[in-house]
């Protein structure tokens, strides 16, 4: 039952994923969460985020920011990294992910999702068969509802790591 929340992969940071290698494997679109995945919660795009998106676009990736946040926050960040977006996306619901792929011209077989939360980001991607990367949160300061979810995430990740260690 917990498997529905398991990421396909884990990464310390969105900035440490081998996007070039994944492109060679056939991936063409990347859906990103913003807050605590690319920058601390509520922060504008920094030089690292701008450079990452520039690099991804140079490689040939289509990108899209998928956020449950309000439009002013998402639109501003999207403008800074030159990426389309969907705000109030309703993650982990399927519609936001479907619209993201439609906009990028991709499908689950050639799309990646990168985010920091199991119960929204990863679960939503898994519902559609999108390869998911769970990143560590960038900053410890989070809204109370996320702090509570993190406690539950630790339980799921314990069993996920146990499964990996057991070779299952």
């Amino acid at each position: 039952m917990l498997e529905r929340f398991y990421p396909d992969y884990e990464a310390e940071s969105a900035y440490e994923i081998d996007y070039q290698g994944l492109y060679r494997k056939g991936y063409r679109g990347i859906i990103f969460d913003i807050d605590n995945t690319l920058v601390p919660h509520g922060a504008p795009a920094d030089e690292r985020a701008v450079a990452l998106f520039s690099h991804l676009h140079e490689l040939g990736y289509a990108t899209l920011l998928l956020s449950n946040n309000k439009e002013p926050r998402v639109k501003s960040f999207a403008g800074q990294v030159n990426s389309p977006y969907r705000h109030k996306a309703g993650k982990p619901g399927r519609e936001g992910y479907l619209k993201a792929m439609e906009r990028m011209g991709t499908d689950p077989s050639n799309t990646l999702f990168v985010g920091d939360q199991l119960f929204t980001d990863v679960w939503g991607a898994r519902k559609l068969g999108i390869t998911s990367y769970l990143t560590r949160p960038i900053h410890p300061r989070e809204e109370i509802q996320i702090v509570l979810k993190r406690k539950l995430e630790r339980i799921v990740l314990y069993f996920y790591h146990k499964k990996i260690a057991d070779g299952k």
Side-chain angles (χ1 to χ4, degrees):
M1 176 169 152
L2 293 179
E3 289 84 3
R4 76 179 72 187
F5 303 113
Y6 291 176
D8 293 298
Y9 302 98
E10 286 183 287
E12 278 298 312
S13 164
Y15 300 98
E16 296 179 10
I17 296 170
D18 179 12
Y19 296 107
Q20 190 166 358
L22 291 165
Y23 192 86
R24 283 194 298 270
K25 289 182 179 180
Y27 291 98
R28 294 299 181 260
I30 309 173
I31 304 168
F32 284 95
D33 176 52
I34 300 172
D35 289 321
N36 252 347
T37 298
L38 296 168
V39 294
H41 186 80
D46 56 19
E47 289 179 22
R48 192 165 67 155
V50 172
L52 173 63
F53 277 77
S54 177
H55 176 66
L56 294 172
H57 296 150
E58 286 172 9
L59 287 173
Y61 277 109
T63 61
L64 190 131
L65 300 166
L66 190 68
S67 176
N68 286 344
N69 219 318
K70 295 177 183 170
E71 187 169 24
R73 161 67 178 142
V74 182
K75 182 177 183 178
S76 171
F77 192 94
Q80 294 170 311
V81 298
N82 192 30
S83 182
Y85 68 91
R86 289 194 56 84
H87 67 287
K88 288 188 160 183
K91 293 183 292 183
R94 297 167 49 95
E95 184 179 351
Y97 296 85
L98 289 168
K99 296 279 187 189
M101 289 186 291
E102 180 181 317
R103 175 87 186 260
M104 293 189 302
T106 62
D107 60 55
S109 71
N110 64 1
T111 302
L112 301 168
F113 187 92
V114 180
D116 69 301
Q117 292 188 53
L118 288 178
F119 300 129
T120 52
D121 300 330
V122 170
W123 188 23
R126 284 192 55 97
K127 287 179 181 182
L128 291 161
I130 298 169
T131 300
S132 62
Y133 276 82
L134 177 68
T135 64
R136 299 224 186 278
I138 287 179
H139 195 275
R141 182 182 67 86
E142 296 183 297
E143 297 172 343
I144 187 65
Q145 71 270 18
I146 295 172
V147 170
L148 297 173
K149 281 194 266 185
R150 294 284 186 212
K151 292 180 186 300
L152 295 172
E153 283 183 353
R154 278 190 225 117
I155 296 166
V156 174
L157 287 171
Y158 168 81
F159 288 105
Y160 170 71
H161 292 136
K162 184 172 176 5
K163 179 181 175 182
I164 290 172
D166 292 345
K168 295 181 182 177

